[in-house]
Amino acid sequence: MSDMSSGRPGQRVRLEDVAKLAGVSMKTVSNVVHDYPHVSVKMRERVQAAIDQLGYRPNLTARRLATGRTGMLALAIPEIDQPYFAELARRIGEEAVRRGYRVIVEQTLNDADAERAVIRDREEGLVDGVIFQPAYMDTMEIARLRPGTPLVLLGEAGRPLTADHVMIDNVAAAREAVELLLGQGRTRIAFFGMVHGDPTESTHLRLLGYQEALLAAGVRTGPELVIETDGFAIDDGVAALSAALDAGVRFDALVCRDDLFAMAALKVLDRAGLRVPGDVSVLGWDDTALARYSTPALSSISPGKEAIARMALELLEDRMAGYDGVGRHRIAPHVIIERETTGHPT
Amino acid sequence: MSDMSSGRPGQRVRLEDVAKLAGVSMKTVSNVVHDYPHVSVKMRERVQAAIDQLGYRPNLTARRLATGRTGMLALAIPEIDQPYFAELARRIGEEAVRRGYRVIVEQTLNDADAERAVIRDREEGLVDGVIFQPAYMDTMEIARLRPGTPLVLLGEAGRPLTADHVMIDNVAAAREAVELLLGQGRTRIAFFGMVHGDPTESTHLRLLGYQEALLAAGVRTGPELVIETDGFAIDDGVAALSAALDAGVRFDALVCRDDLFAMAALKVLDRAGLRVPGDVSVLGWDDTALARYSTPALSSISPGKEAIARMALELLEDRMAGYDGVGRHRIAPHVIIERETTGHPT
DNA sequence: CTGAAAGCGCTAACAA
DNA sequence: TTGTTAGCGCTTTCAG
């Protein structure tokens, strides 16, 4: 319709170019760009026409410099390809977009230094806030390095409570899991997946809930029913559980630290000729795709990922809005999803 | 050691503050920040001391405005929690970090408009380049909306070749898959997972390779051996395959469109009392966590995700460096990973 | 080898 | 309701 190459050819079109074309000031253009209410209709039309003609789009970077707001959030997690984190990232991404943010994903890749970098404001000036699930750093250390950027932590919270946290009640969830299994007639319930040197608090909490429930029910247990592994990989799980079986450890139910170990359990039990759930009930944790797609479909403890995402964003927006009080905790709901790997013995 | 609150209290410390403290110009500070070679040692030390004392860190946004480079890349994919994309995102993230970029993940969530937004420079000025795996848009449409931001496409490339592409050779991979199965004594090989209304080209290419190999081997086949589904979900797969079995379709091997359908196959075959791989070989596609963790472990066609990531970044860096030629294609390698679901009939 | 100053493109306070 | 203008913090010629 008109000359697209007028003005500074080869350059991006700027607010000023639009203003010039429309014969108005930059402020007026800015007003219509921002849908500022008090702009006369014909002014708005004229400016919009210029914008369309030139194909103007604001330079986000410049806007940021001027406003001091980046509109971006960082999500720092160990590995994006671990199903749980991938699913969480999706929810957080959705929730963030809903609130007008974009998210940059930071993989710490099991590197303690990478985690520290996140906390030491590596993101400073890049993002408005950070959602961080640490694997190595504890609350103490995070408190010490306490960054200037608003921060919300995911996962377990030790003391002191200097930062906001969102988590599920691991103890209660484990307790309920054991109660469910007990209610279905299981009597020798093992906990599978204490990883040697596990830096996370979660596993301990889960084990605690498991033990509490057993104790409360007056069911006898023993240390051999807590099955330890050398690492987080599936092969570690397979090796550990096979060894336990070979050593004569017997159980009719398995509460697994996560879905991955549950998958390992399915493998080992299959090889051992044990039926699931006929001989052994298997319960996973995290309710990931692994659980939904396996055969038999895995029952799993499902942390409310949407709720976690929503709560994290709420807390973060508070902080970004200036809230500067003490660290708050939010407990997201959880639910046990029963699929095919749990049930009464047959 | 010294007064941290000097100057503009409560404000972030700026380059100028450092310059003032060190008694030098901003340029000099900038020089040492950037490790510019020609700075005298004592000057460097003096400035560094000031930087440390003030805890100065450059404002990335300001830097961006000045340089025009953001140091960020966008990765636009349908869903981050689909195992294949999660694993790809991890590789791309790693490769990007290696090259000095951060990546912002854009989920298009199966929304054609969201895809269009990506292409219409929604990211303009936000990122230096975009890596995009479309699910709905075809090459034509992308060419039409051709953005100003450097772009590399992942997945199939139709004509015209206006943009850079990285893909694997789906036809060849499917052919090899069939040849492998044939070599193991399978004779009735089905293709499982033609999704009605599938917008992607990949499935067609895979089917094509499947048919080519069968034809070349002179093995008779039939339309009933191409099993169609109503959607991409596992339930769609389960329903379709069950129906095929009920309808009397028989096969001794299944080449699946992706690992997810392979998981569906494992479920259905298990229920039907068919042994894998004794009665039926099952081959997945994408080599995701699903394949590695299932029981039996799923054999799968593995696209070289690291190679895809590397090639995509290479092409993108070229574009960002100013290359403006015709669209280029790169074929990433693939390999068939044999686990437990393929083998000779027994 | 270092300093001064002019932008980068947009926002927002202040005027008109 | 619209225009003017001074920053936001850093980079980068161009002098010195």
Side-chain angles (χ1 to χ4, degrees):
Chain A
M1 185 203 237
S2 174
D3 180 10
M4 294 291 286
S5 64
S6 63
R8 309 149 65 250
Q11 298 293 311
R12 268 200 59 172
V13 11
R14 303 159 307 161
L15 190 55
E16 186 175 356
D17 301 326
V18 176
K20 208 158 288 175
L21 210 205
V24 300
S25 79
M26 290 172 65
K27 170 65 175 167
T28 300
V29 179
S30 176
N31 279 157
V32 356
V33 167
H34 288 106
D35 276 325
Y36 184 68
H38 309 291
V39 182
S40 68
V41 175
K42 57 176 14 176
M43 190 87 280
R44 183 181 301 279
E45 282 169 354
R46 179 145 62 111
V47 172
Q48 189 58 52
I51 288 178
D52 293 342
Q53 181 181 335
L54 260 25
Y56 169 74
R57 241 143 338 159
N59 178 320
L60 281 310
T61 300
R63 180 180 305 193
R64 283 167 186 186
L65 219 214
T67 60
R69 184 178 178 282
T70 72
M72 295 216 301
L73 264 26
L75 171 65
I77 49 179
E79 301 167 290
I80 187 67
D81 59 345
Q82 255 181 256
Y84 175 71
F85 292 123
E87 293 174 21
L88 187 61
R90 179 197 173 125
R91 305 301 179 190
I92 288 179
E94 290 175 323
E95 186 68 27
V97 166
R98 199 168 297 135
R99 293 166 187 255
Y101 297 92
R102 333 276 290 253
V103 2
I104 114 168
V105 175
E106 210 62 57
Q107 302 190 76
T108 54
L109 297 172
N110 298 311
D111 174 8
D113 283 333
E115 291 203 341
R116 261 173 231 118
V118 168
I119 291 302
R120 322 187 67 140
D121 278 334
R122 173 184 170 195
E123 320 296 347
E124 185 152 17
L126 220 192
V127 297
D128 297 327
V130 177
I131 297 176
F132 176 34
Q133 171 131 7
Y136 290 95
M137 297 183 77
D138 58 30
T139 326
M140 298 289 284
E141 189 173 5
I142 290 171
R144 205 173 318 122
L145 296 179
R146 192 168 188 47
T149 309
L151 172 72
V152 170
L153 261 18
L154 263 25
E156 298 322 305
R159 264 157 266 105
L161 320 176
T162 54
D164 294 336
H165 265 93
V166 178
M167 67 199 104
I168 68 164
D169 188 339
N170 276 291
V171 177
R175 216 188 299 121
E176 290 161 27
V178 170
E179 286 161 3
L180 172 78
L181 266 7
L182 250 14
Q184 292 178 336
R186 304 294 170 168
T187 55
R188 287 190 58 80
I189 302 174
F191 184 90
F192 175 38
M194 276 305 298
V195 180
H196 288 132
D198 182 352
T200 67
E201 182 83 353
S202 311
T203 316
H204 295 276
L205 262 17
R206 293 172 188 183
L207 178 61
L208 184 63
Y210 157 84
Q211 291 168 323
E212 277 184 14
L214 252 19
L215 204 65
V219 175
R220 86 166 247 255
T221 174
E224 78 280 7
L225 287 182
V226 174
I227 297 164
E228 310 192 6
T229 74
D230 284 332
F232 286 97
I234 189 158
D235 290 339
D236 297 312
V238 168
L241 195 60
S242 300
L245 238 29
D246 290 345
V249 177
R250 289 298 173 266
F251 41 77
D252 59 9
L254 242 26
V255 173
C256 305
R257 196 215 95 101
D258 57 32
D259 284 351
L260 184 57
F261 282 128
M263 299 308 282
L266 258 21
K267 266 189 202 303
V268 172
L269 296 173
D270 181 67
R271 282 181 205 159
L274 264 9
R275 294 165 305 134
V276 174
D279 298 316
V280 181
S281 270
V282 176
L283 188 57
W285 201 304
D286 283 346
D287 188 31
T288 61
L290 257 21
R292 299 192 290 280
Y293 301 151
S294 72
T295 302
L298 182 69
S299 298
S300 189
I301 295 169
S302 180
K305 304 189 187 90
E306 309 75 3
I308 292 174
R310 185 168 27 75
M311 290 172 171
L313 268 294
E314 278 168 6
L315 291 176
L316 197 55
E317 282 204 315
D318 262 16
R319 291 278 172 191
M320 297 188 299
Y323 173 78
D324 196 31
V326 68
R328 299 160 297 175
H329 286 195
R330 291 278 184 283
I331 305 294
H334 62 264
V335 50
I336 301 179
I337 309 279
E338 293 189 72
R339 296 200 178 87
E340 302 170 349
T341 60
T342 47
H344 291 268
T346 54
Chain B
M1 187 202 236
S2 175
D3 180 11
M4 294 291 286
S5 64
S6 63
R8 310 151 65 250
Q11 299 292 313
R12 268 199 60 170
V13 9
R14 301 159 308 159
L15 189 55
E16 185 175 356
D17 301 326
V18 176
K20 208 159 287 175
L21 210 206
V24 300
S25 79
M26 291 172 65
K27 169 66 173 165
T28 302
V29 178
S30 177
N31 280 157
V32 356
V33 167
H34 289 104
D35 277 325
Y36 185 68
H38 309 292
V39 182
S40 68
V41 176
K42 57 176 14 175
M43 190 87 277
R44 184 181 301 280
E45 282 169 354
R46 179 146 61 111
V47 173
Q48 189 58 52
I51 288 177
D52 294 341
Q53 180 181 337
L54 260 26
Y56 169 75
R57 241 147 336 161
N59 177 319
L60 281 310
T61 301
R63 170 126 87 206
R64 282 167 187 185
L65 218 214
T67 60
R69 184 177 178 284
T70 71
M72 296 216 301
L73 264 25
L75 172 64
I77 50 179
E79 301 167 290
I80 187 68
D81 59 345
Q82 255 182 256
Y84 174 71
F85 291 124
E87 292 175 22
L88 188 61
R90 178 197 174 125
R91 304 303 178 188
I92 288 179
E94 289 176 324
E95 186 68 27
V97 165
R98 197 169 299 136
R99 293 166 187 255
Y101 296 92
R102 331 277 290 254
V103 1
I104 114 169
V105 175
E106 211 61 56
Q107 301 190 76
T108 53
L109 296 173
N110 297 312
D111 173 9
D113 283 333
E115 291 204 341
R116 261 173 230 118
V118 168
I119 290 302
R120 323 186 66 141
D121 278 335
R122 174 183 169 196
E123 321 295 346
E124 187 150 17
L126 219 192
V127 297
D128 297 327
V130 177
I131 297 175
F132 176 34
Q133 172 132 7
Y136 290 95
M137 296 183 77
D138 58 31
T139 326
M140 299 288 285
E141 188 173 6
I142 291 172
R144 207 174 317 120
L145 296 179
R146 193 167 186 48
T149 309
L151 172 72
V152 170
L153 261 18
L154 263 25
E156 297 322 306
R159 267 157 264 104
L161 320 175
T162 55
D164 293 336
H165 265 93
V166 177
M167 67 199 104
I168 67 164
D169 187 338
N170 276 292
V171 177
R175 216 188 298 122
E176 290 161 27
V178 170
E179 285 161 4
L180 172 78
L181 266 8
L182 251 13
Q184 290 179 340
R186 304 293 170 169
T187 54
R188 288 191 58 80
I189 303 173
F191 184 90
F192 176 37
M194 275 307 297
V195 180
H196 289 133
D198 181 353
T200 67
E201 182 83 353
S202 310
T203 316
H204 295 276
L205 262 16
R206 293 173 189 183
L207 178 61
L208 183 63
Y210 157 85
Q211 291 169 323
E212 278 184 12
L214 251 21
L215 205 65
V219 175
R220 87 166 247 256
T221 173
E224 79 280 7
L225 286 183
V226 174
I227 297 163
E228 309 193 7
T229 74
D230 284 333
F232 285 97
I234 188 158
D235 290 340
D236 298 312
V238 168
L241 194 61
S242 300
L245 237 31
D246 290 347
V249 177
R250 290 297 173 265
F251 41 77
D252 59 8
L254 243 25
V255 173
C256 305
R257 195 215 96 101
D258 58 31
D259 284 351
L260 184 56
F261 282 127
M263 300 308 282
L266 258 23
K267 268 189 200 303
V268 172
L269 296 172
D270 181 67
R271 281 180 204 159
L274 264 9
R275 294 165 304 133
V276 175
D279 299 316
V280 181
S281 269
V282 177
L283 189 56
W285 201 304
D286 285 345
D287 188 31
T288 61
L290 256 22
R292 299 191 291 280
Y293 301 150
S294 71
T295 303
L298 181 69
S299 298
S300 189
I301 296 170
S302 179
K305 305 191 187 89
E306 308 76 3
I308 292 174
R310 184 166 29 74
M311 290 172 171
L313 269 293
E314 278 169 5
L315 292 175
L316 197 55
E317 283 204 313
D318 261 17
R319 292 276 172 193
M320 298 189 297
Y323 172 79
D324 196 29
V326 68
R328 299 160 297 174
H329 287 194
R330 290 278 184 284
I331 305 294
H334 62 264
V335 50
I336 301 179
I337 309 280
E338 292 188 73
R339 295 199 177 88
E340 301 169 351
T341 60
T342 47
H344 291 267
T346 55

